Every structure is written in C-alpha cells, then in structure tokens.
Amino acid sequence: MAGWFGEVGPVRLGASGGIEAELALGRTTTAISEGVEVLVGWRWFELGGEVQRYDSLGGLSFNKAVTTTRLINDPERFTDISNDYGTLAGRLSVSAGRVGIHGGAWKAFKVRNGPGDFQGATLGVSTWW
C-alpha cells in the first residue's frame, strides 16, 4: 500500500491504494487483491471507506466445489475454491495518541464467482509510528 496523509487546519485527510498478491504454496489457487481507501479525520475521530476487488487466478470454481461428490470425496474440500468479488467497506476509528479502535462493516457489491451474500463486520485495535 502507498498513500498520502495531510492536514488542513484541524481536519486530517488521507488516501491510499495498492495491490496485494496472494500465493498459495502447494495449492492451485493464487489471487490478486486491489484496493483504494480514503479517510477524513477530526480530533480523535476518523471516518473512512474502502473499495476492494479480489481476483483469484486458477483454482476450483465455487459452483463446482459444492457438488455432492466433491463434498464427500475430497479431503481438501474448500481449500482450492476460487472466488472473484468486489467489496465496499465503511470504517469509523476513535484514537488517543498512537492507539486507535476501529470498527467497520463490509459487503460485496459485485460477485463474479462465489456466493452473492459476502458481508461482515470488523472490530480491531491499531497503532502507528
């Protein structure tokens, strides 16, 4: 990831983006994830959002993986499924000094291969130096 971070008066602005490559050693699935993130901060609060696209390269398609034969006879089952999707995520952070607590929610907006109901929530603690 690479990005920019600056301040305009009491307001903090930031934007970052990048590409992440995933290599599954010993398996057939590899993937590339591209993402762009923006944030606006004021005092101890930050509000941000992210758009991410995940593209698997190779592997077994999700639709083929859920056949009865595959479920019963394959010991690896879901380890080689390829999913291709894009997600939108919103995040709110509250920080004090260099430690922050962030929570967010994400949902898939486009699914090319895989279940169409990808969604979830996150809660975490972060620090920066």
Side-chain angles (χ1 to χ4, degrees), residues 17-65:
I19 297 176
E20 179 182 5
E22 176 185 299
L23 175 63
L25 297 175
R27 308 206 184 279
T28 57
T29 303
T30 56
I32 295 176
S33 179
E34 311 101 34
V36 176
E37 180 181 69
V38 296
L39 67 88
V40 176
W42 181 72
R43 294 196 181 186
W44 306 293
F45 301 99
E46 285 182 353
L47 185 62
E50 180 183 29
V51 177
Q52 182 180 24
R53 193 174 91 177
Y54 185 89
D55 293 311
S56 56
L57 308 172
L60 179 72
S61 74
F62 184 86
N63 295 329
K64 292 178 183 175

Side-chain angles (χ1 to χ4, degrees), residues 55-114:
D55 293 311
S56 56
L57 308 172
L60 179 72
S61 74
F62 184 86
N63 295 329
K64 292 178 183 175
V66 294
T67 63
T68 304
T69 302
R70 173 116 177 128
L71 290 172
I72 294 172
N73 298 327
D74 189 347
E76 303 231 342
R77 289 187 177 91
F78 289 96
T79 56
D80 288 341
I81 295 174
S82 65
N83 289 323
D84 300 312
Y85 56 90
T87 59
L88 291 171
R91 185 180 68 236
L92 174 65
S93 302
V94 179
S95 60
R98 293 179 183 234
V99 177
I101 297 174
H102 53 88
W106 58 270
K107 182 168 177 58
F109 66 89
K110 181 177 182 182
V111 178
R112 192 171 58 216
N113 179 16

